[in-house]
């Protein structure tokens, strides 16, 4: 008799664990959906930022003026844009923590890659540049190297 009660107890425990597993699986599925949506928003924001920068840099001194308003001062003219100040300007968030600096570095790298792609294939981006830049990011497995 004690064995039957123990078996029933085990069966109840298994049922409880399976119910918990179902809840965790649902949570994981939702998290994965949110992650994918979050990446889509990020890619679009980076592409929009890049295209805004393309327009803004046409006005002499405009970007530097905007950077200065935020307290960002470029040390010197660099041959290659690193996009750090642009990202800080757009996201307007504290980028002083180590995790924020890592994001800033990744996003800056992504913008440099967009810039390279955009300048090497200008005809491709004459129409729907944001959408096509997003496609470029997606076709290269995202922005993380």
């Amino acid at each position: 008799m004690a064995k039957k009660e123990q078996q029933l107890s085990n069966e109840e425990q298994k049922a409880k664990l399976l119910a918990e597993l179902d809840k965790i699986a649902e949570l994981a599925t939702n998290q994965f959906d949110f992650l994918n949506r979050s990446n889509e928003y990020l890619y679009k924001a980076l592409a929009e930022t890049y295209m805004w920068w393309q327009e803004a840099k046409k006005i002499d001194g405009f970007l530097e003026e905007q950077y200065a308003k935020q307290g960002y001062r470029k040390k010197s003219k660099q041959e290659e844009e690193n996009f750090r100040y642009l990202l800080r300007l757009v996201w307007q968030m504290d980028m002083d923590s180590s995790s924020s600096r890592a994001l800033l570095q990744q996003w800056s790298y992504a913008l440099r890659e967009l810039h390279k792609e955009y300048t090497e294939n200008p005809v491709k981006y004459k129409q729907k540049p944001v959408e096509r830049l997003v496609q470029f990011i997606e076709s290269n497995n995202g922005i993380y190297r």
Side-chain angles (χ1 to χ4, degrees), residues 80-92:
E80 180 182 43
E81 178 70 47
N82 73 18
F83 295 106
R84 272 193 341 231
Y85 295 110
L86 175 64
L87 289 165
R88 292 179 82 163
L89 180 68
V90 170
W91 264 261
Q92 297 183 4

Side-chain angles (χ1 to χ4, degrees), residues 6-140:
Q6 188 179 11
Q7 253 184 341
L8 187 59
S9 176
N10 283 342
E11 293 303 316
E12 288 173 347
Q13 286 179 340
K14 288 178 184 179
K16 181 181 175 190
L17 286 170
L18 288 173
E20 289 176 11
L21 179 60
D22 287 343
K23 287 180 183 177
I24 294 168
E26 182 180 350
L27 178 66
T29 298
N30 289 338
Q31 181 278 328
F32 190 70
D33 291 343
F34 286 131
L35 175 65
N36 285 333
R37 247 181 274 137
S38 174
N39 284 337
E40 289 169 13
Y41 286 129
L42 175 60
Y43 301 164
K44 185 166 189 212
L46 288 170
E48 292 274 2
T49 297
Y50 178 76
M51 293 310 300
W52 180 87
W53 174 79
Q54 281 289 341
E55 291 302 311
K57 72 178 186 160
K58 292 176 184 175
I59 302 171
D60 191 43
F62 176 73
L63 285 168
E64 291 74 15
E65 182 182 309
Q66 299 312 305
Y67 298 153
K69 284 180 183 177
Q70 298 296 321
Y72 313 136
R73 302 227 188 281
K74 282 190 162 187
K75 293 180 181 154
S76 65
K77 291 268 185 193
Q78 296 174 332
E79 194 170 307
E80 180 182 43
E81 178 70 47
N82 73 18
F83 295 106
R84 272 193 341 231
Y85 295 110
L86 175 64
L87 289 165
R88 292 179 82 163
L89 180 68
V90 170
W91 264 261
Q92 297 183 4
M93 55 192 249
D94 178 22
M95 293 288 194
D96 292 331
S97 71
S98 60
S99 61
S100 294
R101 282 193 301 272
L103 279 177
L104 191 63
Q105 185 176 7
Q106 287 173 331
W107 295 353
S108 182
Y109 173 78
L111 287 179
R112 286 192 308 274
E113 290 298 308
L114 289 182
H115 183 57
K116 181 180 173 188
E117 168 65 14
Y118 185 85
T119 55
E120 288 177 359
N121 301 293
V123 174
K124 183 178 178 180
Y125 297 99
K126 289 281 185 201
Q127 294 183 8
K128 298 183 179 181
V130 171
E131 292 85 352
R132 292 199 170 136
L133 287 170
V134 169
Q135 289 171 349
F136 172 77
I137 295 169
E138 290 170 343
S139 69
N140 284 283

